[in-house]
Amino acid sequence: YQRRVREPKLFICENPLGHFKCSRIYDFTQDDLTDTKWKSSKIAILDTYNKVFVWLGSLCKNEHDKKLALMTATEYVEKATDNRPKENKVTVIDETQEPIAFRAAFPGWIEAEKKPISKQRSSVADDLLKEYSKTYTLEELKDKANLPSTVDKGNLEFYLSNEDFQKIFSMEKSFYQQQADWKRAQLKKDAGLY
């Protein structure tokens, strides 16, 4: 019996001009995570076969992109056709908090100084996705100071239930997304969500 060696795969997640995408990086190194042009604001997905990680750079503040990366990684594991254990959960990690299973995928990993995390993060993506998927009333969304950090303050309208969204904007979310930027901005202002 010969055990098959599986090469780890690294994907860098980007959202240029509002179009989220994950690009595979071949022959990757630690520098691909910490490239100075990104200033540690990037998100990466690392597939080691036995584990899939969503890595969040220290300056990554875009909650919408975090949610999309978590959804992408979760779907990636669910749809994998390589006989990987389906019970493996996607693990979320912060820059400088990388476990050994993550670091081992990078040749010559240089340990950075561990930085304290401002709050404890759930290590399982499913739990964090539940937080990102919560809906709020219009009144709750207008009270931005009391919203959790998982709410993307630039896209508050998407945290409305489908029914509330329809009442407030007189259209479905899919039609709203097709509107021009200026039109969506005006609708958000009219609803008090800007």
Side-chain angles (χ1 to χ4, degrees):
Y1 171 75
Q2 226 180 10
R3 187 172 171 197
R4 184 172 170 204
V5 176
R6 298 182 190 269
E7 292 292 320
K9 300 174 187 171
L10 180 69
F11 302 88
I12 299 299
C13 303
E14 304 172 279
N15 194 353
L17 305 173
H19 298 285
F20 186 81
K21 67 178 186 172
C22 294
S23 304
R24 183 167 178 192
I25 307 296
Y26 293 89
D27 300 320
F28 58 87
T29 66
Q30 183 179 2
D31 290 339
D32 290 308
L33 295 176
T34 58
D35 185 337
T36 54
K37 84 173 187 176
W38 294 99
K39 297 185 177 24
S40 296
S41 65
K42 70 170 67 169
I43 301 171
I45 298 172
L46 177 69
D47 174 13
T48 65
Y49 179 74
N50 290 318
K51 198 82 167 153
V52 173
F53 297 94
V54 174
W55 179 89
L56 303 174
S58 61
L59 300 177
C60 180
K61 304 294 182 216
N62 188 317
E63 297 299 329
H64 184 67
D65 287 354
K66 289 179 191 179
K67 177 183 177 183
L68 291 174
L70 293 171
M71 291 171 60
T72 300
T74 301
E75 184 176 350
Y76 174 84
V77 170
E78 288 171 357
K79 293 186 176 182
T81 59
D82 55 7
N83 298 320
R84 71 179 61 225
K86 294 295 182 196
E87 66 276 0
N88 283 356
K89 299 290 182 187
V90 174
T91 301
V92 180
I93 56 173
D94 290 295
E95 182 177 2
T96 76
Q97 305 299 316
E98 298 88 353
I100 195 160
F102 181 91
R103 297 187 315 255
F106 293 83
W109 181 272
I110 298 170
E111 190 69 32
E113 181 183 332
K114 295 269 185 201
K115 297 176 186 171
I117 306 175
S118 59
K119 62 180 180 177
Q120 190 65 23
R121 176 184 306 286
S122 169
S123 64
V124 179
D126 291 345
D127 296 338
L128 200 50
L129 276 173
K130 286 177 189 168
E131 286 296 312
Y132 282 120
S133 301
K134 284 185 178 178
T135 60
Y136 300 89
T137 65
L138 180 62
E139 292 72 31
E140 290 171 323
L141 291 171
K142 287 181 177 180
D143 186 13
K144 295 177 188 162
N146 290 318
L147 291 171
S149 64
T150 53
V151 173
D152 180 2
K153 309 292 190 291
N155 291 296
L156 293 173
E157 67 275 23
F158 293 110
Y159 294 92
L160 291 165
S161 69
N162 290 334
E163 298 79 30
D164 286 346
F165 192 95
Q166 179 73 39
K167 284 181 203 168
I168 294 163
F169 294 105
S170 301
M171 65 181 79
E172 293 181 4
K173 290 179 183 178
S174 58
F175 187 70
Y176 172 85
Q177 289 177 301
Q178 296 171 6
Q179 302 302 307
D181 289 343
W182 67 267
K183 179 71 171 173
R184 287 194 313 259
Q186 186 59 52
L187 289 167
K188 284 168 59 171
K189 283 181 186 175
D190 293 347
L193 293 174
Y194 210 82

